[in-house]
Amino acid sequence: MRTFHAAPYDSRLSGNAWKVRILLRQLGLPFERVTLDLATGVTKQPDFRAKGRFARIPVLELEDGRTLVESAAILLYLAKGTRLLPDDKYLRAEVTSWLTFEQADLLKALALPRFWHMRGIQEQMKQRIADFHEATYPALQLLEDWLAAHQWLVDERYTVADLGVFGYVAMAEEGGYDMQRFPAIRRWLDQIKQQPGYVPLVED
């Protein structure tokens, strides 16, 4: 096992931070979680901005004081040299392509409707939610089509590609998405939840 210790900065309900926490558990790496209350504006404060240049979570602080930002970068860093990131150059690029797809095509469109539902303002934001749904169902269908023909996203095994795409897709129904339309995605989500070291978003 690699010697490694880090402090992930996250919040209770962030899907991106959830991915990092799951990976740390799955790799058996020790960490001290720093849970932030985003409603206080803490990520905008100078002390946090010195750690996370984009003023958002997750941020991973390493033992030597350096920090990493953005969930995809953190996942790739942590997974290097483990079973969850292929050694083959082509397959590593495939992992990166899925992480990029999630951030570009799914993240915002899944996260914001969920946030508005959590805030109880879904009626007020009804049209914007509908617009996100219309634009994002085709992207979810691309994921569904791939998973209908493949057990996992890359190399027919569980990798950080699966974990990177998992977070907000797993919570899509909280934003009003009809995930019953996507049986292959639902099967894949269940597979990820059965992986050793998996932890739910909100732990007891």
Side-chain angles (χ1 to χ4, degrees), residues 22-135:
I22 292 172
L23 183 57
L24 286 165
R25 292 283 178 84
Q26 291 184 329
L27 295 178
L29 299 175
F31 65 94
E32 296 177 8
R33 180 184 180 191
V34 183
T35 305
L36 304 178
D37 181 356
L38 302 187
T40 67
V42 64
T43 59
K44 309 297 183 185
Q45 299 302 313
D47 286 351
F48 186 83
R49 287 293 300 272
K51 298 178 184 294
R53 59 182 172 270
F54 301 134
R56 58 180 176 238
I57 57 168
V59 170
L60 187 72
E61 185 170 4
L62 307 178
E63 286 181 304
D64 60 9
R66 292 181 297 170
T67 56
L68 284 170
V69 298
E70 298 300 297
S71 61
I74 294 170
L75 294 181
L76 290 170
Y77 176 85
L78 290 174
K80 185 177 180 181
T82 78
R83 67 190 185 283
L84 298 183
L85 184 63
D87 292 329
D88 179 83
K89 183 193 291 190
Y90 176 81
L91 294 176
R92 287 201 309 271
E94 286 280 273
V95 168
T96 303
S97 75
W98 280 110
L99 297 177
T100 304
F101 167 75
E102 188 270 344
Q103 295 285 296
D105 291 63
L106 297 177
L107 173 61
K108 185 176 181 180
L110 298 179
L112 282 178
R114 171 179 175 258
F115 175 73
W116 293 327
H117 276 79
M118 289 169 54
R119 289 280 305 275
I121 58 172
Q122 63 270 25
E123 284 303 314
Q124 178 183 337
M125 305 303 294
K126 184 176 181 179
Q127 186 55 55
R128 290 199 64 189
I129 291 173
D131 291 343
F132 272 129
H133 286 185
E134 182 179 1

Side-chain angles (χ1 to χ4, degrees), residues 22 26 83-84 152 157-159 188-199:
I22 292 172
Q26 291 184 329
R83 67 190 185 283
L84 298 183
W152 299 101
R157 60 189 175 100
Y158 176 62
T159 68
W188 169 76
L189 293 174
D190 287 340
Q191 287 180 174
I192 293 173
K193 293 175 183 178
Q194 297 303 314
Q195 295 301 301
Y198 169 81
V199 292

